Amino acid sequence: MLDIRAQLPHRPPFLLLDRVLEREPGVRVVAEKVVTYGDPFLRGHFPDRPLVPGVMLVEMLAQAAAFLEAEPLLDRPVFLAQILDARFKAPAFPGDRLELSVRPGPGFARLRRAEGEVRCDGRLLCTAKLLLAAGEARP
Amino acid sequence: MPELKQQVKEMIIQRLKLEGMTPADIDDAAPLFGEGLGLDSIDALELVLAIEQTFGVKIEDEASGMKAFRNVEALTAFIAEKTPA
């Protein structure tokens, strides 16, 4: 199985993907995140009713979008440059198995758009259009 | 050309939501990026898409894009050259 940590520089508690299920660089990526009570962002959001903050869903999609790149990003991170659109249609709770799918959009120079959606059991929770910027390679 | 230049300026203002600006406020020779109009790389992608949608002209790579984006003068010439007569 694909080692996520070999592609992404993110580490716990901010590595938000568990598995990459499908990957066709430049075409499509499907990744998975299982939400658990142990996820640190659920401690305060909210103590009595844990649900995944919308911005974390967007971050999950951005991390999944990193796998659209063929090359590992350990030394050449990708940054979120713009959120063009984000819609949160239903909340994600502990126990939810989130399917994160992303497709690339148009790009120019270091920038490329990506469109993604988060589903749980086929139910659409979130859609987002993001702009990602490839960083400079670190020596 | 003057007509096309006007269209280019209107496209820039509309697409990049340069509120309060009119085509007359944009100097033909002023740099679009950095000093001058002060656009950034995110605006550059927006312009690439706008030029394709408005004029049917594709900007193939970064080098030709950056040449075309020097100023309104250069961008108008670029579009005129690529538009079928």
Side-chain angles (χ1 to χ4, degrees):
Chain A
M1 191 164 60
L2 183 70
D3 182 2
I4 289 175
R5 293 168 305 173
Q7 172 83 7
L8 279 182
H10 305 67
R11 292 295 176 263
F14 215 71
L15 180 56
L16 298 177
L17 307 182
D18 296 326
R19 293 200 292 170
V20 173
L21 304 173
E22 290 174 44
R23 181 186 188 205
E24 207 180 326
V27 180
R28 168 182 145 90
V29 168
V30 182
E32 184 180 78
K33 157 74 183 165
V34 178
V35 182
T36 74
Y37 281 102
D39 282 320
F41 45 80
L42 295 181
R43 275 183 61 197
H45 192 280
F46 298 93
D48 298 328
R49 187 173 182 258
L51 57 89
V52 180
V55 289
M56 299 308 277
L57 297 177
V58 172
E59 175 63 24
M60 287 172 200
L61 289 172
Q63 290 187 14
F67 287 85
L68 290 169
E69 302 280 330
E71 303 293 320
L73 302 174
L74 289 181
D75 300 320
R76 190 177 59 84
V78 166
F79 300 101
L80 191 52
Q82 187 183 19
I83 298 174
L84 293 123
D85 186 60
R87 294 168 198 230
F88 307 102
K89 296 163 187 287
F93 301 109
D96 281 352
R97 186 178 291 272
L98 304 180
E99 188 186 275
L100 314 153
S101 53
V102 287
R103 301 175 297 283
F108 178 67
R110 293 173 184 280
L111 298 172
R112 179 157 300 278
R113 286 191 187 170
E115 283 189 28
E117 53 183 52
V118 182
R119 288 179 181 269
C120 178
D121 293 328
R123 218 158 43 98
L124 186 61
L125 306 187
C126 163
T127 62
K129 289 182 184 148
L130 309 175
L131 182 66
L132 301 159
E136 296 272 2
R138 280 197 298 247
Chain B
M1 256 331 228
E3 246 174 63
L4 182 59
K5 202 175 280 172
Q6 182 78 6
Q7 280 180 299
V8 167
K9 289 182 180 179
E10 281 167 6
M11 175 197 70
I12 293 172
I13 290 168
Q14 237 174 29
R15 187 69 177 229
L16 303 181
K17 302 185 179 74
L18 304 179
E19 280 166 30
M21 275 197 105
T22 66
D25 297 328
I26 302 179
D27 186 337
D28 293 357
L32 296 182
F33 294 89
E35 286 175 50
L37 213 49
L39 304 184
D40 61 23
S41 57
I42 295 177
D43 296 320
L45 171 58
E46 205 60 64
L47 277 186
V48 168
L49 300 176
I51 291 162
E52 193 173 335
Q53 284 159 11
T54 312
F55 300 102
V57 171
K58 272 196 179 190
I59 294 179
E60 303 289 353
D61 54 55
E62 188 177 357
S64 58
M66 292 331 285
K67 224 172 105 189
F69 290 156
R70 218 167 45 236
N71 52 36
V72 168
E73 192 81 56
L75 183 53
T76 305
F78 177 86
I79 292 169
E81 189 194 309
K82 301 270 176 165
T83 310

